[in-house]
Amino acid sequence: MAPSQQVPVVIHQNGGNRLLMVRWGLIPYWAKDESIGNKLINARAETLEEKPSFRRSFEQRRCLVLADGFYEWKKEGRVKKPYRITLLDGRPFAFAGLWDSWLSPTGQTINSCAIITTTPNKLMEPIHNRMPVILPQDMESVWLGGDVTSSREVKGLLTPFPEERMVAYEVSQLVNSPRNDGPECVVPVNSLF
């Protein structure tokens, strides 16, 4: 999945959970046009309550962004090497996310999301200075709590996932293009961790 593509999310709405496909790149309800979403793919955990783009969604529209891994690029001199990061047991998981609905000038509703990032754990530190917030499975319903769970109560969930439960490995440069979407994108080049 790449920014501006459709990603699967779970939201809590009308007393139940729903699975939606939404655009990755948050378009706040008040935006003048959808291009703002290109800049809002991630939201820093430390500033959610300060940023107008994320404040309302953090309070009222939290979501789970479903994944089985993610990519990050490690800079080595002038070269950026792609790494795939998964849970050690290979199970799918959920990122802490925010979503919103935007009504375009033509009357089209676009649902979109951003993934919340935090400081890196020890596994991620050598690769990148941020990492997505991966929610422990038993905390997913708390995160989705909507109006039942306040943003203040869930702020403590926005921490780095335990590094001992994750694995990272280098993958092919094929992942540099969103057009490449096959099994070759997850094959290890070198195992480092």
Side-chain angles (χ1 to χ4, degrees):
M1 298 181 295
S4 80
Q5 292 182 340
Q6 297 290 301
V7 298
V9 302
V10 174
I11 66 169
H12 185 80
Q13 193 175 54
N14 300 325
N17 292 344
R18 293 182 49 209
L19 178 66
L20 298 176
M21 294 299 287
V22 304
R23 176 187 164 144
W24 181 15
L26 189 82
I27 307 168
Y29 73 96
W30 47 258
K32 295 199 183 336
D33 66 73
E34 65 185 281
S35 67
I36 192 172
N38 299 331
K39 299 174 188 164
L40 301 177
I41 60 171
N42 294 329
R44 293 176 72 93
E46 301 86 348
T47 59
L48 290 174
E49 295 163 305
E50 301 165 22
K51 301 287 184 182
S53 299
F54 303 124
R55 187 181 311 123
R56 177 177 170 259
S57 291
F58 181 51
E59 292 169 358
Q60 302 172 10
R61 293 190 166 196
R62 296 184 297 270
C63 67
L64 304 174
V65 181
L66 307 178
D68 64 358
F70 64 97
Y71 297 97
E72 201 53 76
W73 283 258
K74 179 180 181 181
K75 194 169 185 179
E76 294 182 1
R78 293 181 158 196
V79 177
K80 286 186 174 182
K81 292 185 177 182
Y83 285 80
R84 184 163 193 263
I85 298 94
T86 65
L87 296 189
L88 191 58
D89 62 12
R91 294 173 64 168
F93 55 87
F95 297 125
L98 307 172
W99 74 282
D100 210 341
S101 287
W102 178 72
L103 187 61
S104 76
T106 63
Q108 177 188 14
T109 298
I110 298 176
N111 293 318
S112 60
C113 73
I115 295 171
I116 300 174
T117 66
T118 189
T119 56
N121 61 26
K122 292 205 183 307
L123 175 80
M124 290 298 299
E125 266 179 0
I127 300 171
H128 200 270
N129 64 352
R130 302 291 296 171
M131 69 177 289
V133 173
I134 299 171
L135 293 167
Q137 194 171 13
D138 62 343
M139 291 290 114
E140 291 173 355
S141 61
V142 173
W143 177 255
L144 286 178
D147 55 4
V148 177
T149 309
S150 74
S151 54
R152 185 178 36 225
E153 292 174 287
V154 297
K155 187 85 172 169
L157 298 176
L158 303 178
T159 60
F161 197 75
E163 63 268 6
E164 66 274 6
R165 295 180 52 199
M166 299 172 69
V167 65
Y169 58 89
E170 186 181 342
V171 293
S172 166
Q173 297 282 340
L174 288 171
V175 301
N176 291 342
S177 171
R179 288 181 295 215
N180 298 323
D181 188 19
E184 61 278 3
C185 292
V186 300
V187 175
V189 171
N190 295 312
S191 291
L192 295 180
F193 306 103

